[in-house]
């Protein structure tokens, strides 16, 4: 008897941010109305006989009747019936913009009972979520969610004329039910009248959530598949302190669910089905919105170049006196040169030349603020034993660029510091060296050369078995010995030279197979190195001033620097000319085994935001398509590195999704969402209310009296919903549409890569 009616409205997408998680499918439904609500029902049946469309008079058959009762839960709620609630129990945070809500596993529960006199097709349920702050409940002054256990009889009739309970009657209240126990709270009548939603408001504060595809979110509520009832409160926890939420039954309080609060009583006794508590503590919580906005400040102030990973020198000084034009020109030229170097991401570093002179050189790490040009292969086709091949000399200024030489030395150092990788590459070189030595001797002799010595040994054994002619071993041994011709002397052949060996197609193929067999874990290790895993931070960001506190820096990855870094690691174990000659075989085998995508761009964040939001979501797009994220690591408590497989045009930072909760957005407004059935839920980029006012200023119930110190915090839901519908060109909003507008979207900050040529 609890089959649900068809959904009255749906708004499938609830996230106003770009569609970064297509797996999450959420539908908001107005309500699920049961075919029959709680009550006593009688089913009557009678028999009639008809023939050719005419009723045939027969002897009256007895009628049958059966009476039954639909008795859904009323005074107690199993803990298993609660899916989640927000804010979380015993949590502390910035919740002044949040309307608490509770999610119930049974989607039809709020409508299984009807408030007396409510027979409309779309009616309010019998449950409400009330929020109490410290000092409001006599039995729970600290707002810890404490309740008092009483019998149902004491709930209905306390025996004290100052206490009013629910007016419940009927045959369903059997002695057993009256003697059963339930959890209760005593609410001062003035508090009850001030915070209780009206029946019209309760209509908007209840809806159904249909999750068709499950997905987990970091923290808060976990969304799982199924149908869930959601009940939202009408009060904001605006003051700092502790709050208690109570899911209460309003059955029996119908005369007071409206503009007529109970009079003549001091206390209202309610049955509470679920309670929890939390703390609104905005002063001890990081200002997430402020920190995200601070990261974007340079771009808002038209100084987007400040978001690039480089040193930004002060503006050029004013020119000096007109005398000494040659010196001034020279100085200006030098200053221009230095500024250009800094603009390209270089820093000056001490350098000692081979002749012993101390000077400085330029160094830039792999993270460049500009698109780096494609350099000719700096001798990487063959192995090297020193980094001299990667040094760049600027003859005009007599300075070295040590960027690539440092990269090669760093790759070699990291490789030799890893005993597993060093052992793998040395073993691979030794095996390839031995195989080449064998082939040099065998290749010139066609009688001994073979495609594979292991295969040759197997074939030799098979030929020996064939010599038995299929006879048994005993018969073969008993047979007379065959005359064996004397062996013919072999002509000694000089071994092939290394160039001749590598030019031989058959020998080159055997060497290639041998190299592929010996690579082991080297490709995976080099893939990790290509993502800069294990690279000291000072090589990535050579100056702390390039990444100051509370900053974001965007960069492109210098592919030449990356290739030289990997080459330095691959050059470990080169000792002899034969090792150098065979090195391309090792490199080729490793390159074929490596499957990792190389990073092309990335970002660095240095901010306290990472402590406040360990699960900060970072998503990159290129032409509105998500970009592959190759690496995301916290390099320190406040430093985040993210690498992308392609150069994005947009990067978004988002507060971690915490399930779905309701309230108003930052700034005290609601960012309107589309109600178009073709694309519901997406942000319209319009704030409500307009004119600089906030929801707190326009739509809260006034304080009980001008003299009170209480902060207005109860939402005038009906007025707010009506005006909100008007802003969306609707005469009114349904429950699901109202809930959709109140979904708190995570904070979102968007950055775009500069489109100027040669810039990041």
């Amino acid at each position: 008897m609890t089959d649900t009616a068809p959904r009255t409205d749906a708004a499938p997408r609830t996230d106003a941010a770009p569609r970064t998680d297509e797996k999450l499918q959420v539908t908001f439904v107005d309500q699920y109305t049961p075919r029959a609500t709680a009550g006593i029902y009688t089913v009557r049946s009678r028999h009639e006989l008809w023939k050719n469309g005419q009723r045939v008079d027969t002897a009256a058959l007895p009628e049958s009747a059966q009476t039954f009762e639909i008795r859904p839960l009323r005074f107690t709620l199993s803990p298993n019936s609660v899916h989640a609630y927000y804010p979380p129990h015993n949590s502390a945070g910035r919740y002044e913009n949040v309307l608490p809500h509770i999610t119930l596993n049974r989607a039809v529960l709020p409508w299984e009972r009807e408030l007396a006199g409510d027979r409309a097709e779309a009616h309010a349920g019998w449950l409400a979520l009330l929020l109490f702050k410290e000092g409001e409940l006599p039995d729970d002054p600290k707002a810890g969610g404490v309740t008092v256990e009483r019998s149902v009889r004491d709930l209905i009739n306390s025996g004290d004329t100052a206490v009013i309970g629910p007016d419940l009657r009927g045959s369903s209240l059997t002695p057993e039910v009256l003697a059963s126990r339930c959890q209760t709270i005593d609410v001062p009548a003035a508090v009850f009248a001030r915070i209780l939603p009206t029946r019209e408001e309760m209509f908007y504060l209840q809806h159904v959530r249909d999750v068709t595809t499950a997905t987990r979110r970091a923290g808060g509520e976990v969304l799982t598949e199924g149908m869930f009832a959601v009940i939202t409160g009408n009060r904001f926890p605006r003051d700092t302190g502790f709050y208690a939420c109570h899911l209460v039954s309003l059955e029996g309080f119908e005369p007071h669910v409206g503009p007529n609060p109970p009079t003549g009583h001091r206390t209202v006794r309610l049955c509470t089905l679920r309670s929890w508590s939390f703390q609104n503590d905005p002063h001890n919580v990081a200002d997430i919105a402020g920190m995200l906005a601070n990261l974007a400040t340079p771009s808002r102030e038209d100084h987007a170049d400040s978001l690039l990973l480089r040193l930004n020198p002060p503006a050029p000084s004013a020119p000096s006196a007109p005398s000494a034009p040659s010196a001034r020109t020279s100085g200006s030229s030098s200053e221009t040169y230095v500024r250009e170097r800094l603009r390209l991401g270089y820093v000056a570093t001490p350098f000692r030349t081979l002749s012993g002179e101390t000077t400085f050189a330029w160094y830039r790490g792999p993270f460049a603020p500009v698109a780096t040009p494609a350099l000719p292969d700096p001798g990487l086709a063959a192995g090297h034993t020193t980094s001299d091949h990667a040094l760049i000399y600027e003859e005009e200024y007599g300075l070295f660029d040590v960027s690539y030489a440092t990269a090669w030395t760093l790759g070699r150092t990291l490789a030799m510091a890893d005993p597993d990788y060093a052992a793998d590459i040395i073993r691979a070189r030794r095996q390839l060296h031995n195989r080449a030595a064998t082939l040099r001797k065998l290749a010139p002799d066609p009688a001994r050369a073979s495609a594979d010595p292991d295969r040759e040994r197997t074939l030799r054994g098979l030929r020996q078995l064939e010599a038995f002619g299929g006879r048994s071993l005993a018969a073969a041994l008993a047979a007379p010995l065959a005359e064996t011709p004397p062996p013919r002397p072999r002509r000694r052949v000089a071994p092939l030279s290394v160039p001749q060996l590598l030019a031989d197609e058959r020998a080159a193929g055997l060497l290639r197979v041998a190299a592929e067999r010996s690579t082991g874990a080297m490709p995976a290790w080099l893939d990790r190195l290509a993502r800069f895993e294990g690279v000291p931070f000072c090589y990535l960001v050579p100056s702390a001033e390039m990444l100051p506190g509370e900053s974001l820096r965007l960069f492109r990855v210098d592919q030449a620097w990356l290739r030289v870094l990997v080459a330095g690691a691959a050059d470990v174990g080169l000792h002899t000319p034969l090792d150098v000659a065979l090195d391309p075989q090792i490199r080729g085998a490793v390159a074929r085994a490596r499957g990792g995508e190389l990073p092309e761009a990335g970002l660095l964040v240095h901010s306290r935001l990472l402590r406040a939001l360990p699960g900060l979501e970072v998503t990159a797009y290129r032409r509105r398509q998500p970009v592959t994220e190759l690496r995301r690591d916290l390099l320190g408590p406040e430093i985040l590195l993210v690498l992308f497989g392609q150069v994005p045009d947009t990067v978004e930072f988002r507060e971690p999704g915490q399930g779905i909760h309701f309230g108003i957005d930052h700034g005290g407004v609601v960012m309107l969402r589309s109600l178009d059935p073709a694309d519901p839920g997406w942000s319209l980029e319009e704030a409500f209310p307009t004119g600089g006012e906030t929801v707190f200023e326009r739509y809260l119930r006034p304080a009980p009296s001008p003299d009170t110190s209480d902060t207005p915090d109860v939402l005038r839901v009906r007025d707010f919903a009506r005006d909100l519908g008007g802003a969306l060109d609707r005469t009114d909003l349904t429950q699901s549409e109202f809930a959709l507008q109140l979904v708190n979207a995570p904070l979102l900050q968007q950055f775009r890569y500069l489109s100027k040529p040669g810039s990041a």
Side-chain angles (χ1 to χ4, degrees), residues 9-187:
D9 193 18
R13 291 195 181 272
T14 61
D15 194 350
R19 310 178 188 190
T20 60
D21 190 353
E22 293 295 336
K23 295 182 179 180
L24 179 60
Q25 300 288 337
V26 180
T27 302
F28 284 169
V29 181
D30 286 340
Q31 64 183 47
Y32 267 8
T33 305
R35 301 297 184 184
T37 56
I40 299 175
Y41 296 84
T42 300
V43 178
R44 303 180 186 277
S45 64
R46 67 172 182 266
H47 298 81
E48 295 179 354
L49 183 61
W50 294 74
K51 183 178 181 181
N52 298 328
Q54 300 292 325
R55 183 174 178 177
V56 179
D57 292 332
T58 60
L61 296 175
E63 293 186 358
S64 63
Q66 183 176 0
T67 300
F68 63 92
E69 180 182 1
I70 297 178
R71 187 185 296 177
L73 67 89
R74 194 175 196 179
F75 301 110
T76 59
L77 179 65
S78 169
N80 295 330
S81 298
V82 178
H83 177 68
Y85 36 75
Y86 191 87
H89 181 50
N90 286 337
S91 65
R94 185 184 296 272
Y95 298 128
E96 66 265 24
N97 287 2
V98 172
L99 290 174
H101 82 273
I102 186 169
T103 307
L104 304 173
N105 287 320
R106 187 170 176 79
V108 76
L109 179 60
W111 299 277
E112 285 185 316
R113 293 187 176 275
E114 292 179 323
L115 297 180
D118 192 352
R119 293 293 184 269
E121 180 180 352
H123 60 272
W126 60 288
L127 299 174
L129 187 63
L130 303 183
L131 180 67
F132 302 94
K133 61 183 178 181
E134 294 177 277
E136 289 186 339
L137 296 179
D139 296 328
D140 187 18
K142 295 184 178 180
V146 176
T147 60
V148 178
E149 183 177 311
R150 293 184 172 93
S151 66
V152 174
R153 181 179 289 105
D154 291 339
L155 167 69
I156 298 173
N157 184 7
S158 65
D160 185 350
T161 58
V163 179
I164 180 175
D167 183 10
L168 301 177
R169 303 168 187 171
S171 59
S172 61
L173 291 175
T174 63
E176 292 79 9
V177 173
L178 292 173
S180 62
R181 312 294 289 180
C182 63
Q183 302 299 320
T184 66
I185 54 173
D186 284 352
V187 183

Side-chain angles (χ1 to χ4, degrees), residues 185-200:
I185 54 173
D186 284 352
V187 183
V191 175
F192 180 79
R194 185 163 67 89
I195 70 174
L196 186 69
T198 65
R199 187 171 300 193
E200 278 187 311

Side-chain angles (χ1 to χ4, degrees), residues 40 121 311 339 432 517 555 565 589 737:
I40 299 175
E121 180 180 352
L311 293 175
R339 287 183 175 277
L432 193 62
R517 291 177 179 175
F555 58 82
L565 173 72
E737 292 172 342

Side-chain angles (χ1 to χ4, degrees), residues 110-434:
W111 299 277
E112 285 185 316
R113 293 187 176 275
E114 292 179 323
L115 297 180
D118 192 352
R119 293 293 184 269
E121 180 180 352
H123 60 272
W126 60 288
L127 299 174
L129 187 63
L130 303 183
L131 180 67
F132 302 94
K133 61 183 178 181
E134 294 177 277
E136 289 186 339
L137 296 179
D139 296 328
D140 187 18
K142 295 184 178 180
V146 176
T147 60
V148 178
E149 183 177 311
R150 293 184 172 93
S151 66
V152 174
R153 181 179 289 105
D154 291 339
L155 167 69
I156 298 173
N157 184 7
S158 65
D160 185 350
T161 58
V163 179
I164 180 175
D167 183 10
L168 301 177
R169 303 168 187 171
S171 59
S172 61
L173 291 175
T174 63
E176 292 79 9
V177 173
L178 292 173
S180 62
R181 312 294 289 180
C182 63
Q183 302 299 320
T184 66
I185 54 173
D186 284 352
V187 183
V191 175
F192 180 79
R194 185 163 67 89
I195 70 174
L196 186 69
T198 65
R199 187 171 300 193
E200 278 187 311
E201 291 178 332
M202 290 175 61
F203 169 81
Y204 292 103
L205 298 176
Q206 301 163 346
H207 67 278
V208 173
R209 176 192 303 166
D210 182 3
V211 182
T212 57
T213 305
T215 188
R216 299 183 68 89
R217 293 296 186 97
E221 181 174 347
V222 176
L223 299 184
T224 55
E225 294 185 19
M227 302 290 298
F228 305 93
V230 182
I231 301 176
T232 308
N234 67 329
R235 188 181 189 186
F236 295 99
R238 296 190 65 192
D239 293 332
T240 300
F242 289 90
Y243 288 83
C245 292
H246 288 268
L247 179 65
V248 301
S249 167
L250 294 181
E251 188 183 17
F253 287 99
E254 288 84 354
H256 311 298
V257 182
N260 302 313
T263 58
H265 302 277
R266 185 179 64 251
T267 302
V268 178
R269 180 164 293 173
L270 298 172
C271 174
T272 177
L273 303 177
R274 187 70 172 178
S275 65
W276 76 95
S277 64
F278 64 91
Q279 181 184 10
N280 180 40
D281 189 13
H283 301 298
N284 293 327
V285 178
D287 181 9
I288 306 300
M291 287 188 286
L292 272 175
N294 181 64
L295 292 180
T297 298
S299 61
R300 291 197 182 103
E301 296 178 352
D302 296 328
H303 296 97
D305 283 357
S306 299
L307 294 178
L308 303 180
L309 186 65
R310 64 187 178 198
L311 293 175
N312 292 300
S317 57
S320 56
S323 59
S326 61
R328 186 173 66 251
T329 303
S330 175
S332 175
S333 175
S334 299
E335 181 176 354
T336 301
Y337 165 73
V338 171
R339 287 183 175 277
E340 178 62 15
R341 276 288 173 171
L342 297 181
R343 188 190 73 83
L344 296 177
Y346 286 91
V347 297
T349 183
F351 181 71
R352 183 183 295 273
T353 65
L354 293 177
S355 59
E357 298 175 350
T358 301
T359 179
F360 76 92
W362 293 112
Y363 171 76
R364 182 177 66 193
F367 302 158
V370 296
T372 56
L375 299 180
D377 190 343
L380 299 181
H384 296 83
T385 56
T386 69
S387 63
D388 292 346
H389 67 286
L391 275 174
I392 299 176
Y393 180 66
E394 292 190 348
E395 185 176 356
E396 180 180 359
Y397 292 94
L399 295 174
F400 281 96
D401 179 347
V402 298
S403 303
Y404 301 120
T406 302
W408 187 91
T409 304
L410 176 62
R412 182 180 181 87
T413 303
L414 293 175
M416 296 180 67
D418 189 315
D420 294 332
Y421 175 82
D424 283 345
I425 193 169
I426 291 174
R427 180 171 52 252
R429 293 193 186 282
R430 183 175 64 250
Q431 292 175 356
L432 193 62
H433 188 288
N434 294 338

